[in-house]
């Protein structure tokens, strides 16, 4: 069985993406790792090169400004990396630059890959998610956060990154048939020093709403206020992946929030009742789970 990891990144240093930790977290499962690095001048290319592992294949790219609406450029960059994986790859393991896999889940993931490698009815593997918010001590607990997504796919030319690179589709906009596995993606996209978070948010907004968002950024606050954008969060009681521990020890800002102020919305309460008592699940699913 051959496994290829793949990802994309740009301005990882400026926006404090834990991309090194992301790569290292799945490298033990990978025979090769392809990463598309967008043209930038903050040292991102040199950062990835510093890993100095023969498994890593770097593709230097130019982001298309014409795809700055709806996050399309993110999918385009994902597909550039996907197109460079080796032809003899069985599974392609996608990891975004702010996602990390816990070492305790690697065996579960590998076993699932082995089990379904030759099953032509299965297109990919579905992961659970933990979305950290504000600090490394809290996770999102509302329906605003997606609970699952595809992160391992078969090496199939008909499979491609969908919309803003959250998930995948095949052929003419068909959802993938997936197996849900008991493994988590630790998503650290909303855990950065407030200054870096504000820079990232201003830039990210421009990928969805165009260049006018960059103009707004010129008058935006210098620090992101996590407290102003909270829905429902909960304390994180587990343990972080080992690769992220050094970053946590270095990046320790104050997130002083009264957890009692975090309450479930009417929307979430309604969804919970419909699911628990009527079996109606209204959550968005960009896939078809195979039993």
């Amino acid at each position: 069985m051959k496994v290829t990891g793949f990802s994309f990144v740009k301005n990882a240093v400026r926006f404090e993406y834990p991309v090194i930790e992301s790569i290292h977290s799945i490298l033990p499962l990978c025979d090769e790792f392809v990463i598309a690095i967008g043209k930038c001048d903050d040292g991102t290319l040199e950062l990835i090169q510093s890993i100095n592992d023969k498994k890593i294949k770097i593709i230097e790219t130019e982001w298309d400004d014409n795809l700055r609406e709806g996050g399309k450029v993110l999918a385009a960059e994902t597909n550039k990396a996907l197109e460079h994986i080796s032809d003899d790859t069985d599974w392609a393991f996608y990891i975004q630059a702010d996602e990390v896999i816990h070492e305790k889940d690697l065996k579960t993931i590998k076993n699932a890959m082995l089990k379904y490698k030759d099953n032509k009815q299965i297109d990919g593997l579905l992961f659970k998610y933990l979305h950290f918010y504000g600090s490394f001590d809290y996770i999102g607990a509302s329906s605003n956060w997606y609970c699952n997504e595809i992160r391992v796919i078969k090496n199939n030319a008909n499979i491609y990154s969908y919309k803003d690179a959250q998930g995948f589709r095949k052929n003419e906009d068909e959802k993938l048939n997936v197996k849900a596995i008991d493994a988590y993606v630790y998503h650290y996209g909303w855990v950065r020093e407030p200054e870096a978070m504000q820079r990232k948010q201003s830039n990210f907004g421009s990928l969805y709403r165009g260049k006018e968002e960059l103009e707004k950024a010129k008058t935006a606050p210098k620090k992101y206020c996590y407290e102003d954008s909270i829905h429902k969060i909960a304390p994180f009681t587990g343990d972080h992946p080992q690769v992220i521990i050094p970053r946590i020890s270095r990046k320790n800002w104050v997130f002083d929030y009264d957890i009692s102020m975090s309450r479930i919305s009417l929307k979430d309460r309604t969804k919970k009742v419909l699911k628990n008592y009527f079996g109606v699940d209204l959550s968005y699913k960009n896939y078809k789970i195979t039993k």
Side-chain angles (χ1 to χ4, degrees), residues 16-25 96-103 132 136 186-189 191 236 239-251 253:
E16 292 191 2
Y17 277 91
V19 63
I20 296 295
E21 294 89 339
S22 294
I23 294 171
H24 277 301
S25 74
Q96 293 191 348
D98 55 12
E99 298 177 340
V100 177
I101 302 298
H102 202 296
E103 63 275 5
F132 291 86
F136 295 98
Y186 288 61
H187 178 215
Y188 295 104
V191 185
F236 175 59
D239 59 303
H240 291 273
Q242 284 297 314
V243 292
I244 202 76
I245 298 299
R247 178 176 288 266
I248 294 175
S249 65
R250 295 193 307 268
K251 306 289 184 179
W253 57 93

Side-chain angles (χ1 to χ4, degrees), residues 2 14 57 102 107 127 139 143 199 224 230 258:
K2 183 170 183 177
R14 183 167 186 259
K57 180 180 181 181
H102 202 296
K107 184 177 181 180
F127 287 66
I139 54 174
S143 63
R199 292 195 298 270
Y224 186 81
I230 292 176
D258 183 357

Side-chain angles (χ1 to χ4, degrees), residues 52-67:
N52 195 28
D53 192 302
K54 292 181 179 178
K55 293 181 181 180
I56 296 177
K57 180 180 181 181
I58 294 173
I59 309 299
E60 295 185 56
T61 68
E62 188 90 34
W63 285 32
D64 187 348
D65 279 345
N66 294 319
L67 298 178

Side-chain angles (χ1 to χ4, degrees), residues 47-280:
L47 177 67
I48 303 302
Q49 289 173 333
S50 72
I51 298 175
N52 195 28
D53 192 302
K54 292 181 179 178
K55 293 181 181 180
I56 296 177
K57 180 180 181 181
I58 294 173
I59 309 299
E60 295 185 56
T61 68
E62 188 90 34
W63 285 32
D64 187 348
D65 279 345
N66 294 319
L67 298 178
R68 277 189 174 271
E69 298 291 337
K72 294 177 182 178
V73 68
L74 306 177
E77 292 300 309
T78 297
N79 286 326
K80 288 177 185 178
L82 183 57
E83 289 165 4
H84 281 84
I85 69 172
S86 296
D87 291 338
D88 60 345
T89 292
D90 295 296
W91 291 105
F93 197 149
Y94 183 51
I95 189 88
Q96 293 191 348
D98 55 12
E99 298 177 340
V100 177
I101 302 298
H102 202 296
E103 63 275 5
K104 67 184 179 183
D105 287 336
L106 295 180
K107 184 177 181 180
T108 296
I109 298 167
K110 183 175 182 178
N111 287 342
M113 288 176 172
L114 289 167
K115 183 176 182 179
Y116 300 112
K117 179 175 76 72
D118 299 317
N119 188 330
K120 298 186 184 303
Q121 305 304 314
I122 304 301
D123 299 312
L125 303 178
L126 188 71
F127 287 66
K128 301 175 184 177
Y129 265 76
L130 291 170
H131 300 277
F132 291 86
Y133 184 87
S135 83
F136 295 98
D137 300 319
Y138 294 95
I139 54 174
S142 71
S143 63
N144 296 76
W145 304 100
Y146 48 95
C147 298
N148 305 90
E149 198 45 84
I150 303 165
R151 281 299 176 262
V152 171
I153 58 174
K154 290 280 182 68
N155 182 16
N156 183 335
N158 295 321
I159 296 177
Y160 53 89
S161 184
Y162 181 65
K163 287 193 173 180
D164 63 350
Q166 180 175 318
F168 296 87
R169 291 285 172 98
K170 64 179 179 179
N171 302 324
E172 295 297 325
D173 204 29
E174 292 179 37
K175 292 183 179 181
L176 270 58
N177 296 314
V178 301
K179 277 288 184 179
I181 64 174
D182 189 21
Y184 284 85
V185 173
Y186 288 61
H187 178 215
Y188 295 104
W190 292 84
V191 185
R192 307 161 203 254
E193 289 182 324
E195 295 87 347
M197 190 69 211
Q198 185 61 54
R199 292 195 298 270
K200 181 259 184 182
Q201 281 300 95
S202 295
N203 176 74
F204 211 65
S206 72
L207 301 180
Y208 285 82
R209 294 179 291 276
K211 293 183 178 179
E212 65 272 11
E213 195 71 20
L214 293 175
E215 290 300 315
K216 291 182 182 179
K218 295 177 181 178
T219 56
K222 291 186 179 294
K223 294 184 179 182
Y224 186 81
C225 183
Y226 287 105
E227 291 82 358
D228 287 349
S229 302
I230 292 176
H231 293 280
K232 179 176 173 57
I233 59 175
F236 175 59
T237 57
D239 59 303
H240 291 273
Q242 284 297 314
V243 292
I244 202 76
I245 298 299
R247 178 176 288 266
I248 294 175
S249 65
R250 295 193 307 268
K251 306 289 184 179
N252 188 22
W253 57 93
V254 176
F255 177 61
D256 188 14
Y257 184 73
D258 183 357
I259 193 66
S260 67
M261 298 296 291
S262 178
R263 302 189 183 281
I264 189 169
S265 67
L266 176 60
K267 175 184 175 182
D268 282 351
R269 288 199 297 270
T270 302
K271 284 186 174 182
K272 188 173 182 181
V273 169
L274 288 172
K275 184 175 181 179
N276 292 345
Y277 293 97
F278 300 99
V280 178

